[in-house]
Amino acid sequence: MKGIFFTPRAAFICFVLFFAASSAHAVTLTYSTFFPPTHIQAVTSENWCKEVEKRTDGRVKIQFFPGQTLTRAPQTYEAVTDGIADIGVAALAYTQGRFPVMASLDMPLGYPSGVVATKAANALFEKMEPVEFDSTKVMYFHGHGPGYIHTRKVPVKKLEDLKGQRIRSTGMSANIATALGGTPVSMAMPDTYQSLQRGVVDGSFHPAETNKGWNMGEVVSYMTIAKPAAYTTTFYVVMNKSKWNKISPEDQKVIEEINKEWALKHGEAWDSSDEEGMVFFKDKGGTVITLDDAESERWATAVRPVIDNYIKTLDDMKIDGANVFDFINKVIATGDAQ
């Protein structure tokens, strides 16, 4: 019998066929975020991409596009549904009215931390299963820590100080600005620095984190802490459904497990960056104004109609608004979604 051997060409063909077979189920995805590449939320998202590739043994690979290089923030959800980006993260507030149930989270409910806001968001989605996200596969949600008013020139020590002030805001925070006596100016975060610098707006609603994460501490002078009226901005991470369905059930399960871990990591990142943002703000000469209990209560009373009106909006949509807010408030009060 003649010996069996491979010519170099035959060996190469076998290698190619073996590699093709082992890669037959590999999926390469794109991930779009508006956060700049050095922002802690962009870093956390990119680490999610790396973890997915690691735990799926390379069967799911993700190309990461930070800083609006693939999609603009307000168009992210549509871009994912249309397949322009396979995965995307953006704020609910950038498409006001599209996500009515989940937007309830962005109310001035006195959020103490990003971890609590993140727990509330994911728990609410799991409990309510709102149809508003049916066109995508939801990975998870996260929310920043307490959002406060920041101003350029006028220190805000009482409600009357906000009268006539042009306040950069998005989504629900625009309603908060109006309730407190300011004039809301709708604006996404990437456009805010220059607007503050040029005096297009007099102030901004954002958490302490933003003072360093987006360098806002360079262009604002005052931060007013009104804890009972502190709001959050909720962010979604979603995937194109057809791309999700191309991933094997085994790898889908792996990704779902990673999602649970990474939602908390985002919440923790918001909180650690709040601390860094506060230090940055003070180092730049910023002044922190903490309202006393009486003035804080005035702010809470002023924003209460915003919440009540939204409950009515949900009721008009045949959604039990009181039930939604009772659930969110329970998570905020206990720090637990159970």
Side-chain angles (χ1 to χ4, degrees):
M1 177 182 290
K2 293 183 179 181
I4 299 175
F5 66 93
F6 287 105
T7 65
R9 178 179 175 82
F12 175 75
I13 292 173
C14 288
F15 171 78
V16 170
L17 291 174
F18 172 79
F19 179 80
S22 64
S23 304
H25 299 294
V27 177
T28 299
L29 307 170
T30 57
Y31 188 125
S32 175
T33 180
F34 67 96
F35 287 107
T38 56
H39 192 286
I40 191 169
Q41 291 301 325
V43 173
T44 305
S45 294
E46 187 171 19
N47 287 340
W48 177 88
C49 299
K50 294 175 181 177
E51 192 69 11
V52 167
E53 183 170 344
K54 175 184 174 181
R55 291 205 215 171
T56 61
D57 295 323
R59 291 183 297 276
V60 181
K61 300 179 183 294
I62 305 171
Q63 298 173 338
F64 189 64
F65 294 88
Q68 300 191 116
T69 52
L70 183 58
T71 65
R72 296 280 295 174
Q75 285 78 49
T76 297
Y77 192 81
E78 291 296 339
V80 172
T81 58
D82 293 341
I84 297 171
D86 299 320
I87 307 166
V89 56
L92 299 177
Y94 292 162
T95 46
Q96 189 171 9
R98 172 140 197 181
F99 309 109
V101 173
M102 296 303 291
S104 304
L105 293 152
D106 289 1
M107 291 290 168
L109 298 171
Y111 286 93
S113 69
V115 166
V116 170
T118 296
K119 286 182 177 180
N122 289 285
L124 182 67
F125 183 77
E126 183 177 345
K127 175 181 174 62
M128 299 297 294
E129 299 181 338
V131 297
E132 57 207 49
F133 277 94
D134 279 0
S135 58
T136 58
K137 166 62 181 177
V138 171
M139 300 286 99
Y140 53 88
F141 298 88
H142 55 90
H144 66 57
Y148 302 128
I149 187 72
H150 293 72
T151 49
R152 293 173 61 242
K153 294 183 177 181
V154 178
V156 177
K157 300 179 180 180
K158 57 185 183 301
L159 280 177
E160 289 75 12
D161 295 333
L162 269 172
K163 186 175 182 180
Q165 295 286 305
R166 296 163 298 174
I167 306 300
R168 170 266 169 195
S169 50
T170 57
M172 294 303 172
S173 64
N175 296 334
I176 300 171
T178 300
L180 294 174
T183 301
V185 179
S186 181
M187 188 179 299
M189 188 56 71
D191 302 319
T192 303
Y193 184 98
Q194 286 191 346
S195 294
L196 283 163
Q197 187 179 48
R198 295 173 180 175
V200 175
V201 292
D202 304 306
S204 169
F205 268 119
H206 59 250
E209 167 279 325
T210 304
N211 292 315
K212 182 179 181 181
W214 292 88
N215 295 318
M216 297 303 168
E218 298 175 349
V219 289
V220 293
S221 301
Y222 303 99
M223 177 197 306
T224 301
I225 295 179
K227 291 184 179 180
Y231 74 98
T232 190
T233 298
T234 307
F235 301 86
Y236 58 78
V237 184
V238 294
M239 184 185 293
N240 178 277
K241 269 193 169 181
S242 64
K243 285 300 181 71
W244 174 254
N245 291 332
K246 290 182 179 179
I247 299 172
S248 71
E250 293 77 15
D251 287 338
Q252 286 180 351
K253 183 179 179 180
V254 169
I255 293 172
E256 295 278 21
E257 292 171 352
I258 297 172
N259 289 344
K260 292 178 182 178
E261 298 171 22
W262 247 253
L264 180 59
K265 288 181 183 292
H266 279 278
E268 293 171 340
W270 281 118
D271 290 340
S272 64
S273 57
D274 266 349
E275 296 175 4
E276 294 176 5
M278 182 65 80
V279 171
F280 184 87
F281 175 74
K282 291 180 179 178
D283 285 348
K284 291 298 179 179
T287 300
V288 177
I289 300 166
T290 301
L291 302 181
D292 61 28
D293 290 345
E295 186 63 23
S296 292
E297 187 58 34
R298 290 185 69 206
W299 286 51
T301 300
V303 299
R304 181 66 213 189
V306 177
I307 301 169
D308 291 339
N309 289 339
Y310 202 72
I311 290 175
K312 185 178 184 304
T313 296
L314 293 178
D315 288 342
D316 291 343
M317 299 173 65
K318 310 303 181 185
I319 300 168
D320 188 343
N323 182 49
V324 170
F325 279 89
D326 285 347
F327 182 81
I328 298 171
N329 283 322
K330 178 182 177 182
V331 178
I332 293 172
T334 63
D336 194 347
Q338 302 301 319

